[in-house]
Amino acid sequence: MRPVREKSKPNRDSAGMKILRPLSIVLCVTWTAGAAAQISLTPSGIEPPAQKPSAMPKPKSPAPKKPAAAAATPKPATPTVTPAPVPDDPNLDLVYGAYQRGMYKTAFDLATKRAQDSGDPKAMTMLGELYSNGMGVKRDYAKAVEWYRRGADGGDREAMFALAMLRLAGRGGPANPEEATRLLASSAKLGNPKAAYNLALLYLDGQTLPQDLKRAAELFRLAADAGNPEAQYALATFYKEGTGVPKDMEKSVRLLQAAALSDNVDAEVEYAIALFNGNGTPKNESAAVALLRKAAKQNSPIAQNRLARVLTSGQGAPIDKIEGFKWHLVAKTAGKGDPMLDEALAQLPPQDRASAEAAARKWLGAK
């Protein structure tokens, strides 16, 4: 009976620097990880943009909400869930089944009964989840902390992780990074990949814990081996740059591929660039362009810029200047300008330029 929440998506700033975000089933704070900077390789024959030096991630002061949504009391998104595992007790499935179907009041009532009757820690974790997100009951972080703590004391690794993230964010009580660190370590030791990933971020930023890049790499590897795409992407950047591990481009590319297969947009972009240039993997321009198209449609400005260059130059794909300049204009609105493409756009025949601008407006209006 494990509620699974929607994964946090990594973002990039206008300079292409990677932002690593903590994964959380509740609320979390954000750390930026310059160690995971965007690969800035560009298709052959195209002048690459200047790279900015990497910087270690620095946790911000706990904010009242995820950085992606600054409202004080946000409406929780409907959680993305996976099929429930076969439980030891078939009655346990009733609680999680109700949660899966969005019957949160029913899940609350069933979990309350199980928590009271048998002291089941997973039922306690479910109650913490429901209180934390206002599902079936009024949101109450203090009660969420209480139930998560009881679940954690009962040995439930998800409760440990959720309580740690509330403690980092200062929800349901004062922020307590030291307690959060202990809880993350306990949850990670029990095999929770989200806890391992977030604990790695703390070792990476060097504020709550002494900076230890080797330990961060070990924790990223634990989470990556468990299939966590954010950890796969982070570890890929470690291997690319030789951070905490020996530099190994082939291992980096294999991790990028794995994360890309799990729809990590940043990994899709960097894997596409590696494929295009044959860096750490056999050269495959058509596969690279397909990945760039996918990431561009997922609103990655870097992918949009690279795709624009490919389509306007005809390197790796047939020339399509209308489509190419459409993506250039779309990327430019997100801060990914390109003077070379600006100059080429100005030289287009007026009719073609108008078509590209109309296509960009249509895309932006449909977002």
Side-chain angles (χ1 to χ4, degrees), residues 21 23 25 29-30 104 114 135 140 143 162 166 169 178 186 219 222 243 259 268 285 293 306 312-313 327 334 348 354:
R21 293 179 183 243
L23 302 177
I25 63 171
V29 292
T30 300
Y104 302 125
R114 286 197 61 78
M135 296 172 172
D140 189 326
K143 288 184 178 179
L166 284 179
E178 291 76 17
S186 296
L219 288 163
L222 286 174
T243 303
E268 289 172 356
E285 291 183 352
R293 287 186 188 277
R306 299 303 191 271
T312 56
S313 68
W327 287 119
L348 275 185

Side-chain angles (χ1 to χ4, degrees), residues 130-155:
L130 296 172
Y131 272 118
S132 180
N133 293 283
M135 296 172 172
V137 290
K138 184 178 179 180
R139 175 176 288 174
D140 189 326
Y141 290 117
K143 288 184 178 179
V145 166
E146 177 186 348
W147 283 112
Y148 280 141
R149 189 177 301 284
R150 293 178 65 181
D153 290 344

